[in-house]
Amino acid sequence: MDELKFYSYPSCTSCRRTKSWLKSQGVEFNEQHLFRETPDVDELRKILSLTTQGIDEILATRSKEYKELGIDVDDLSLSEFLDLVIEKPKLLRRPILTNGEKLVVGYNLEGLRAITNNRMEYTANIS
């Protein structure tokens, strides 16, 4: 597995839950503060290339920043969209994890297991 890149924001509940799970599983990762070290155009293009739903998968449409835009991002070119996200990184859903081949957006336990190759099965003790 390539190095796991973890784009996060410390105040984000989903980011904290994801980070906690990764640490509890002993998974090593390289964390990048999403707002202080916003991904550049090449990183964003790579992230988008790994999505199954394109822009919709990484865009935080319920965020205040998105609602205040007052524009339809579908009307933007890819370059315009990337420039907008670099200017306003709060438009990105969080966290974003990638190993260069797979992508997980948000706290998604099934996705985390897949990207970390952690196939642990949990069993319940029935008494």
Side-chain angles (χ1 to χ4, degrees):
M1 176 174 75
D2 290 338
E3 180 180 86
L4 186 63
K5 186 76 168 228
F6 178 47
Y7 298 95
S8 69
Y9 178 60
S11 297
C12 165
T13 302
S14 294
C15 296
R16 289 194 309 264
R17 288 178 67 194
T18 299
K19 186 175 184 176
S20 176
W21 186 89
L22 291 169
K23 286 185 171 187
S24 74
Q25 302 303 307
V27 175
E28 293 184 21
F29 55 91
N30 178 10
E31 187 171 8
Q32 184 171 325
H33 192 292
L34 198 53
F35 304 151
R36 289 188 192 144
E37 302 173 78
T38 304
D40 62 25
V41 170
D42 291 334
E43 287 175 287
L44 289 170
R45 285 183 185 275
K46 179 63 178 173
I47 289 168
L48 275 171
S49 75
L50 298 172
T51 65
T52 56
Q53 302 168 6
I55 290 171
D56 293 338
E57 193 168 335
I58 64 168
L59 189 62
T61 56
R62 294 184 296 175
S63 71
K64 177 182 173 186
E65 288 74 18
Y66 179 79
K67 291 175 182 173
E68 289 176 349
L69 279 179
I71 61 171
D72 186 351
V73 293
D74 292 333
D75 293 339
L76 300 176
S77 69
L78 179 58
S79 296
E80 290 170 329
F81 172 76
L82 296 174
D83 289 343
L84 179 63
V85 169
I86 290 170
E87 180 185 332
K88 298 177 180 292
K90 289 185 178 182
L91 292 172
L92 290 172
R93 288 185 59 208
R94 345 180 237 285
I96 297 173
L97 287 93
T98 182
N99 63 2
E101 296 176 8
K102 297 177 185 174
L103 182 74
V104 178
V105 180
Y107 178 74
N108 174 338
L109 195 51
E110 184 178 317
L112 290 172
R113 287 186 181 136
I115 201 168
T116 61
N117 297 318
N118 183 334
R119 303 275 182 208
M120 285 183 17
E121 294 293 326
Y122 294 94
T123 56
N125 292 328
I126 301 173
S127 38

